mmCIF file of all heavy atoms in Angstrom:
data_model
loop_
_atom_site.group_PDB
_atom_site.id
_atom_site.type_symbol
_atom_site.label_atom_id
_atom_site.label_comp_id
_atom_site.label_asym_id
_atom_site.label_seq_id
_atom_site.Cartn_x
_atom_site.Cartn_y
_atom_site.Cartn_z
ATOM 1 N N ASP A 292 -10.572 -132.105 -2.601
ATOM 2 C CA ASP A 292 -9.224 -132.376 -2.876
ATOM 3 C C ASP A 292 -8.395 -131.284 -2.456
ATOM 4 O O ASP A 292 -8.623 -130.116 -2.822
ATOM 5 C CB ASP A 292 -9.114 -132.519 -4.429
ATOM 6 C CG ASP A 292 -9.782 -133.746 -5.017
ATOM 7 O OD1 ASP A 292 -9.855 -134.790 -4.264
ATOM 8 O OD2 ASP A 292 -10.227 -133.724 -6.119
ATOM 9 N N GLY A 319 -6.154 -125.704 -2.884
ATOM 10 C CA GLY A 319 -6.921 -126.715 -3.610
ATOM 11 C C GLY A 319 -5.943 -127.541 -4.491
ATOM 12 O O GLY A 319 -4.956 -127.094 -4.911
ATOM 13 N N ALA A 320 -6.405 -128.790 -4.678
ATOM 14 C CA ALA A 320 -5.635 -129.672 -5.593
ATOM 15 C C ALA A 320 -6.622 -130.115 -6.611
ATOM 16 O O ALA A 320 -7.857 -130.016 -6.506
ATOM 17 C CB ALA A 320 -5.065 -130.834 -4.847
ATOM 18 N N ASN A 321 -6.087 -130.780 -7.699
ATOM 19 C CA ASN A 321 -6.960 -131.329 -8.800
ATOM 20 C C ASN A 321 -7.858 -130.251 -9.361
ATOM 21 O O ASN A 321 -9.035 -130.438 -9.502
ATOM 22 C CB ASN A 321 -7.826 -132.503 -8.204
ATOM 23 C CG ASN A 321 -8.308 -133.407 -9.335
ATOM 24 O OD1 ASN A 321 -7.801 -133.377 -10.403
ATOM 25 N ND2 ASN A 321 -9.349 -134.122 -9.005
ATOM 26 N N GLN A 322 -7.325 -129.109 -9.758
ATOM 27 C CA GLN A 322 -8.052 -128.092 -10.374
ATOM 28 C C GLN A 322 -8.524 -128.355 -11.781
ATOM 29 O O GLN A 322 -7.818 -129.009 -12.585
ATOM 30 C CB GLN A 322 -7.128 -126.859 -10.409
ATOM 31 C CG GLN A 322 -6.650 -126.450 -9.033
ATOM 32 C CD GLN A 322 -7.764 -126.206 -7.949
ATOM 33 O OE1 GLN A 322 -8.686 -125.505 -8.275
ATOM 34 N NE2 GLN A 322 -7.655 -126.902 -6.911
ATOM 35 N N LYS A 323 -9.646 -127.787 -12.151
ATOM 36 C CA LYS A 323 -10.117 -127.984 -13.542
ATOM 37 C C LYS A 323 -9.287 -127.233 -14.488
ATOM 38 O O LYS A 323 -8.862 -126.045 -14.286
ATOM 39 C CB LYS A 323 -11.569 -127.438 -13.590
ATOM 40 C CG LYS A 323 -12.232 -127.598 -14.921
ATOM 41 C CD LYS A 323 -13.704 -127.071 -14.961
ATOM 42 C CE LYS A 323 -14.301 -127.244 -16.208
ATOM 43 N NZ LYS A 323 -15.712 -126.793 -16.319
ATOM 44 N N GLY A 324 -8.813 -127.990 -15.465
ATOM 45 C CA GLY A 324 -7.998 -127.346 -16.472
ATOM 46 C C GLY A 324 -6.526 -127.201 -16.087
ATOM 47 O O GLY A 324 -5.756 -126.446 -16.681
ATOM 48 N N ALA A 325 -6.151 -127.878 -14.943
ATOM 49 C CA ALA A 325 -4.750 -127.749 -14.365
ATOM 50 C C ALA A 325 -4.370 -129.127 -13.893
ATOM 51 O O ALA A 325 -5.211 -130.041 -13.696
ATOM 52 C CB ALA A 325 -4.600 -126.764 -13.277
ATOM 53 N N GLY A 326 -3.069 -129.310 -13.577
ATOM 54 C CA GLY A 326 -2.617 -130.577 -12.995
ATOM 55 C C GLY A 326 -2.991 -130.717 -11.618
ATOM 56 O O GLY A 326 -3.364 -129.682 -10.922
ATOM 57 N N PHE A 327 -2.898 -131.932 -11.051
ATOM 58 C CA PHE A 327 -3.281 -132.170 -9.698
ATOM 59 C C PHE A 327 -2.600 -131.351 -8.643
ATOM 60 O O PHE A 327 -3.127 -130.933 -7.677
ATOM 61 C CB PHE A 327 -3.089 -133.685 -9.320
ATOM 62 C CG PHE A 327 -3.690 -134.095 -7.979
ATOM 63 C CD1 PHE A 327 -5.025 -134.404 -7.863
ATOM 64 C CD2 PHE A 327 -2.867 -134.127 -6.899
ATOM 65 C CE1 PHE A 327 -5.642 -134.714 -6.624
ATOM 66 C CE2 PHE A 327 -3.472 -134.437 -5.643
ATOM 67 C CZ PHE A 327 -4.737 -134.739 -5.475
ATOM 68 N N THR A 328 -1.332 -131.012 -8.924
ATOM 69 C CA THR A 328 -0.540 -130.321 -7.969
ATOM 70 C C THR A 328 -0.583 -128.840 -8.096
ATOM 71 O O THR A 328 -0.021 -128.111 -7.268
ATOM 72 C CB THR A 328 1.048 -130.688 -8.085
ATOM 73 O OG1 THR A 328 1.449 -130.393 -9.413
ATOM 74 C CG2 THR A 328 1.184 -132.227 -7.789
ATOM 75 N N GLU A 329 -1.297 -128.289 -9.179
ATOM 76 C CA GLU A 329 -1.406 -126.815 -9.331
ATOM 77 C C GLU A 329 -2.562 -126.244 -8.555
ATOM 78 O O GLU A 329 -3.615 -126.966 -8.381
ATOM 79 C CB GLU A 329 -1.574 -126.535 -10.773
ATOM 80 C CG GLU A 329 -0.412 -126.922 -11.661
ATOM 81 C CD GLU A 329 -0.508 -126.750 -13.133
ATOM 82 O OE1 GLU A 329 -1.377 -127.531 -13.716
ATOM 83 O OE2 GLU A 329 0.135 -125.906 -13.625
ATOM 84 N N ILE A 330 -2.362 -125.104 -8.065
ATOM 85 C CA ILE A 330 -3.413 -124.487 -7.174
ATOM 86 C C ILE A 330 -4.362 -123.637 -7.789
ATOM 87 O O ILE A 330 -5.371 -123.248 -7.246
ATOM 88 C CB ILE A 330 -2.730 -123.750 -5.984
ATOM 89 C CG1 ILE A 330 -2.054 -122.393 -6.530
ATOM 90 C CG2 ILE A 330 -1.814 -124.566 -5.250
ATOM 91 C CD1 ILE A 330 -1.608 -121.510 -5.481
ATOM 92 N N SER A 331 -4.263 -123.380 -9.182
ATOM 93 C CA SER A 331 -5.187 -122.583 -9.916
ATOM 94 C C SER A 331 -5.150 -123.027 -11.320
ATOM 95 O O SER A 331 -4.250 -123.728 -11.824
ATOM 96 C CB SER A 331 -4.813 -121.122 -9.791
ATOM 97 O OG SER A 331 -3.609 -120.801 -10.519
ATOM 98 N N ALA A 332 -6.049 -122.489 -12.117
ATOM 99 C CA ALA A 332 -6.015 -122.579 -13.497
ATOM 100 C C ALA A 332 -4.739 -121.830 -14.068
ATOM 101 O O ALA A 332 -4.215 -120.951 -13.296
ATOM 102 C CB ALA A 332 -7.254 -122.104 -14.145
ATOM 103 N N SER A 333 -4.259 -122.219 -15.123
ATOM 104 C CA SER A 333 -3.049 -121.565 -15.639
ATOM 105 C C SER A 333 -3.290 -120.052 -15.893
ATOM 106 O O SER A 333 -4.337 -119.674 -16.328
ATOM 107 C CB SER A 333 -2.507 -122.209 -16.917
ATOM 108 O OG SER A 333 -3.507 -122.149 -17.990
ATOM 109 N N ASP A 334 -2.299 -119.312 -15.605
ATOM 110 C CA ASP A 334 -2.377 -117.816 -15.797
ATOM 111 C C ASP A 334 -3.654 -117.221 -15.134
ATOM 112 O O ASP A 334 -4.463 -116.674 -15.860
ATOM 113 C CB ASP A 334 -2.312 -117.461 -17.337
ATOM 114 C CG ASP A 334 -2.113 -115.979 -17.523
ATOM 115 O OD1 ASP A 334 -1.610 -115.329 -16.650
ATOM 116 O OD2 ASP A 334 -2.503 -115.596 -18.649
ATOM 117 N N PRO A 335 -3.804 -117.395 -13.843
ATOM 118 C CA PRO A 335 -5.038 -116.935 -13.222
ATOM 119 C C PRO A 335 -5.211 -115.379 -13.329
ATOM 120 O O PRO A 335 -4.333 -114.667 -13.257
ATOM 121 C CB PRO A 335 -4.851 -117.293 -11.744
ATOM 122 C CG PRO A 335 -3.331 -117.364 -11.638
ATOM 123 C CD PRO A 335 -2.794 -117.899 -12.879
ATOM 124 N N SER A 339 -11.444 -116.381 -8.412
ATOM 125 C CA SER A 339 -12.194 -117.589 -8.674
ATOM 126 C C SER A 339 -11.398 -118.569 -9.546
ATOM 127 O O SER A 339 -11.835 -119.728 -9.678
ATOM 128 C CB SER A 339 -13.493 -117.265 -9.304
ATOM 129 O OG SER A 339 -13.333 -116.473 -10.530
ATOM 130 N N ASP A 340 -10.290 -118.142 -10.087
ATOM 131 C CA ASP A 340 -9.432 -119.125 -10.838
ATOM 132 C C ASP A 340 -8.604 -120.055 -9.903
ATOM 133 O O ASP A 340 -8.032 -121.010 -10.346
ATOM 134 C CB ASP A 340 -8.517 -118.417 -11.667
ATOM 135 C CG ASP A 340 -9.099 -117.712 -12.893
ATOM 136 O OD1 ASP A 340 -10.182 -118.190 -13.319
ATOM 137 O OD2 ASP A 340 -8.563 -116.799 -13.453
ATOM 138 N N PHE A 341 -8.725 -119.744 -8.615
ATOM 139 C CA PHE A 341 -8.040 -120.602 -7.583
ATOM 140 C C PHE A 341 -9.084 -121.516 -6.930
ATOM 141 O O PHE A 341 -10.187 -121.010 -6.408
ATOM 142 C CB PHE A 341 -7.468 -119.718 -6.551
ATOM 143 C CG PHE A 341 -6.245 -118.904 -6.968
ATOM 144 C CD1 PHE A 341 -6.416 -117.747 -7.573
ATOM 145 C CD2 PHE A 341 -4.971 -119.321 -6.793
ATOM 146 C CE1 PHE A 341 -5.363 -116.954 -8.104
ATOM 147 C CE2 PHE A 341 -3.913 -118.623 -7.301
ATOM 148 C CZ PHE A 341 -4.087 -117.437 -7.959
ATOM 149 N N GLY A 342 -8.887 -122.816 -7.071
ATOM 150 C CA GLY A 342 -9.982 -123.788 -6.712
ATOM 151 C C GLY A 342 -10.356 -123.682 -5.251
ATOM 152 O O GLY A 342 -11.491 -124.115 -4.917
ATOM 153 N N ILE A 343 -9.496 -123.214 -4.407
ATOM 154 C CA ILE A 343 -9.785 -123.131 -2.919
ATOM 155 C C ILE A 343 -10.693 -121.940 -2.610
ATOM 156 O O ILE A 343 -11.372 -121.957 -1.577
ATOM 157 C CB ILE A 343 -8.516 -123.169 -2.082
ATOM 158 C CG1 ILE A 343 -8.758 -123.742 -0.688
ATOM 159 C CG2 ILE A 343 -7.879 -121.928 -2.078
ATOM 160 C CD1 ILE A 343 -9.094 -125.091 -0.481
ATOM 161 N N ARG A 346 -14.349 -121.834 -0.840
ATOM 162 C CA ARG A 346 -14.729 -123.058 -0.256
ATOM 163 C C ARG A 346 -15.054 -122.934 1.160
ATOM 164 O O ARG A 346 -14.457 -122.179 1.922
ATOM 165 C CB ARG A 346 -13.597 -124.062 -0.450
ATOM 166 C CG ARG A 346 -14.075 -125.545 -0.293
ATOM 167 C CD ARG A 346 -12.913 -126.565 -0.608
ATOM 168 N NE ARG A 346 -12.393 -126.530 -1.942
ATOM 169 C CZ ARG A 346 -11.464 -127.408 -2.452
ATOM 170 N NH1 ARG A 346 -11.199 -128.428 -1.692
ATOM 171 N NH2 ARG A 346 -11.021 -127.252 -3.705
#
Side-chain angles (χ1 to χ4, degrees):
D292 292 328
N321 198 20
Q322 303 303 310
K323 183 177 180 180
F327 187 84
T328 61
E329 295 175 292
I330 67 173
S331 73
S333 61
D334 191 23
S339 57
D340 288 337
F341 294 81
I343 199 73
R346 200 175 297 191

